[in-house]
Amino acid sequence: MKPSGPALYDAVLLDRDGTLVEDVPYNGDPEKVRPLPGAREALDRLRAAGLRLAVVTNQSGLARGYFTEREMHAVHARIEELLGPFDHWAVCPHDDTDGCACRKPAPGLVHEAARTLGTAPRRCVLVGDIGRDMAAALAAGATGILVPTPVTRPEEVAEAPAVARDLPGAVDEILRRDRAVRPVVPRTGRAGTVLVVRSDSAGDVLLTGPGIRAVAAGAERVALLCGPRGRAAAELLPGVDEIIEWPLPWIDGSPEPVDPDDMRRLTARLAAVDADEAVVFTSFHQSALPLALLLRMAGVPRISAISDDYPGSLLDVRHRVPVGVPEPERALSLAAAAGFALPAGDEPVLRLRADLPAPAVDRPAGDYLVVHPGASVPARACPPERCAEIVAALAADGHRVLVTGGPGERELTARVAAAGGTDLGGTTDLAGLARIVAGARCLVVGNTGPAHLAAALGTPVVSLFAPTVPFGQWAPYRVPTVRLGDAGAACRDTRAARCPVAGHPCLSGVDPARVVAAVRRLAPG
Ligand SMILES: [Zn+2]
């Protein structure tokens, strides 16, 4: 049966040497072309799924005179003979000294391929064998999947948003992700009132937006239960008719003790929604089951959630998701399991409602960057002295730098902005911050709410990403991004709220010069 809703990808972009064919350095000889095992069959599966294919390849051998353009075309003809046709070949003929916009890790080839194939980079996935491929994909806003070879460096593997064992494995993952976000058995008729749930902070609520939009497209009415820290983000989401704010002690990072009276009041409040069904969105380390019990007690007849734990009679749709899936797709896949798809004309991206509340401050005029030094979780914040050095370096490179932060971060923003920026700390609510970020060339920020605000607004992100949680799951979604910070630091995958390593090395080592270079890559000119 054909899945419903928009596909996750329109096109797959493939690196050539080491990904499609054996890497023969500076090869100008068709006789030396050797496809990698399983490549033909894997590509044919993508073609059969209706995906368009392009090759994106650095060929500096042209600039260096090691082979001619004619020889390269002969090699490409041989590759097509062995692997089937490609819809486009995007080739960078330059070397590192040319400073071109196309040589990976620059995103130019991804832009060219997407344009030629009639789509956008965010609707493309790039498969390649080294860090340059992943960096080019991210800088264009595309998805990246690394297929390491013996020459791939360990730090490139650590930094990659996703890793597959080989090209057939990457193709499995591409097709699996697409199937997961689209219901195979769509609902007949609209649901009535659906209660959707996403506790936790602003970023989590924003990442659930596509899943909530899918539910809203198939429901008469949507009520959202969120926590106090997610309330402001909930107000920015399209598709939400009513917001219920309630802290959940099994979700909160610093929870209050469970109060039986409070749980009774919550159950009564949930019953008052009179929902026909509930979809409980969670992150991979949270349990939907305590709330499912309260929803049952509130009389909700149909409940869908992700649960590895046995749910007994608490869930009607028990969904399971492998690790490493981007959070927005995790949410969309639960919506799909419950029978909800994004409508035609929508697509899997973060979005804010068109009628944002009136801002408390005006959007700054002119050209500027935003540095947001704070983070909702301390382990994910770049140290203030390093943020100050980043502001100083950006100012020295000729940028106007605005420093933003919440009301509780005024001291931090004042300190960071003193290095050469303008301090806007505490002057805006989340909607006001959205206005400022929307007008920025680029946002420099850790793994925290404003990164996802930028993703929803299409503003490129220099992500100072502490590896305490997987980058592939929490990276700014489908927006041009450069990842900085030590992906292999000892805090990796600890989910620590406070950095467990003396000196916070994953982010304290970020070189301000690399932030300047990242801004140039994301927002040239
Ligand atoms: Zn080039």
Side-chain angles (χ1 to χ4, degrees):
M1 200 186 277
K2 199 178 174 312
S4 51
L8 203 49
Y9 308 110
D10 293 331
V12 181
L13 316 183
L14 300 126
D15 170 56
R16 195 191 88 176
D17 302 318
T19 302
L20 292 174
V21 297
E22 282 177 21
D23 187 7
V24 179
Y26 306 115
N27 182 26
D29 179 0
E31 293 301 309
K32 290 185 182 158
V33 171
R34 300 273 178 278
L36 283 163
R40 173 71 200 234
E41 185 272 339
L43 295 171
D44 282 345
R45 283 194 288 145
L46 295 174
R47 293 179 181 115
L51 287 154
R52 312 202 69 199
L53 304 184
V55 180
V56 287
T57 180
N58 286 353
Q59 293 300 330
S60 65
L62 286 170
R64 293 168 187 169
Y66 295 154
F67 51 80
T68 65
E69 211 168 313
R70 178 191 289 268
E71 286 167 332
M72 183 185 75
H73 288 307
V75 166
H76 291 178
R78 178 64 178 151
I79 291 174
E80 292 207 325
E81 199 179 311
L82 294 166
L83 295 180
F86 292 92
D87 298 296
H88 182 63
W89 288 80
V91 177
C92 167
H94 310 106
D95 68 18
D96 275 327
T97 62
D98 289 324
C100 68
C102 45
R103 184 166 166 79
K104 295 176 285 185
L109 295 180
V110 180
H111 288 292
E112 177 199 318
R115 198 169 48 240
T116 308
L117 299 178
T119 184
R122 65 175 182 277
R123 302 190 51 77
C124 297
V125 49
L126 191 159
V127 183
D129 67 324
I130 58 171
R132 281 173 178 260
D133 298 310
M134 298 301 100
L138 291 176
T143 300
I145 300 180
L146 185 77
V147 285
T149 66
V151 306
T152 313
R153 291 180 287 119
E155 57 270 33
E156 295 178 315
V157 178
E159 281 176 8
V163 179
R165 68 183 179 284
D166 52 18
L167 181 56
V171 168
D172 289 344
E173 178 67 5
I174 290 165
L175 298 176
R176 191 193 60 69
R177 284 191 187 186
D178 180 62
R179 275 195 308 272
V181 300
R182 300 201 280 167
V184 179
V185 186
R187 316 171 67 94
T188 49
R190 288 172 84 77
T193 296
V194 182
L195 178 67
V196 296
V197 182
R198 187 63 166 101
S199 273
D200 228 338
S201 52
D204 303 291
V205 170
L206 292 172
L207 288 166
T208 311
I212 293 173
R213 297 204 306 274
V215 172
E220 299 292 342
R221 198 164 168 282
V222 170
L224 169 61
L225 173 68
C226 67
R229 292 183 302 138
R231 172 74 190 237
E235 285 171 0
L236 305 182
L237 287 185
V240 176
D241 300 299
E242 180 190 0
I243 296 172
I244 303 158
E245 180 187 323
W246 215 288
L248 303 180
W250 57 92
I251 301 281
D252 252 24
S254 35
E256 297 291 325
V258 172
D259 171 0
D261 284 337
D262 184 55
M263 290 300 104
R264 277 188 278 275
R265 282 193 297 273
L266 172 56
T267 307
R269 181 68 187 85
L270 295 173
V273 174
D274 198 22
D276 299 288
E277 60 184 285
V279 181
V280 184
F281 295 103
T282 47
S283 184
F284 71 108
H285 55 277
Q286 297 168 341
S287 174
L289 297 183
L291 189 72
L293 177 62
L294 300 191
L295 291 166
R296 280 287 188 242
M297 292 166 69
V300 178
R302 184 175 192 258
I303 304 173
S304 304
I306 296 171
S307 186
D308 281 327
D309 293 325
Y310 173 64
S313 56
L314 295 183
L315 300 181
D316 302 279
V317 176
R318 178 209 193 177
H319 182 54
R320 301 177 92 163
V321 180
V323 292
V325 174
E327 286 283 311
E329 292 172 27
R330 181 182 162 89
L332 269 173
S333 78
L334 173 60
F340 296 102
L342 283 172
D346 201 347
E347 61 172 310
V349 290
L350 306 193
R351 281 208 286 116
L352 305 185
R353 53 194 317 152
D355 54 334
L356 286 183
V361 293
D362 288 334
R363 177 191 293 187
D367 186 57
Y368 60 90
L369 308 174
V370 173
V371 172
H372 189 92
S376 59
V377 176
R380 300 192 214 141
C382 188
E385 57 278 12
R386 187 43 52 120
C387 288
E389 288 163 17
I390 288 168
V391 167
L394 291 168
D397 198 46
H399 296 289
R400 180 174 166 224
V401 183
L402 308 183
V403 180
T404 55
E409 297 172 327
R410 284 173 191 261
E411 207 178 310
L412 170 67
T413 59
R415 185 174 163 193
V416 170
T422 304
D423 181 12
L424 297 182
T427 61
T428 68
D429 56 9
L430 196 66
L433 181 61
R435 304 263 171 185
I436 293 169
V437 169
R441 274 155 69 91
C442 206
L443 171 67
V444 181
V445 66
N447 175 25
T448 192
H452 306 302
L453 208 52
L457 294 160
T459 300
V461 178
V462 178
S463 176
L464 312 177
F465 197 93
T468 51
V469 294
F471 180 75
Q473 247 168 295
W474 298 96
Y477 189 61
R478 297 194 159 195
V479 72
T481 300
V482 170
R483 176 187 189 169
L484 296 178
D486 180 0
C491 61
R492 185 178 172 96
D493 295 336
T494 59
R495 281 195 262 136
R498 298 197 173 271
C499 183
V501 189
H504 197 16
C506 66
L507 293 179
S508 62
V510 169
D511 180 356
R514 292 197 60 191
V515 177
V516 171
V519 169
R520 284 191 189 153
R521 188 186 296 166
L522 292 172

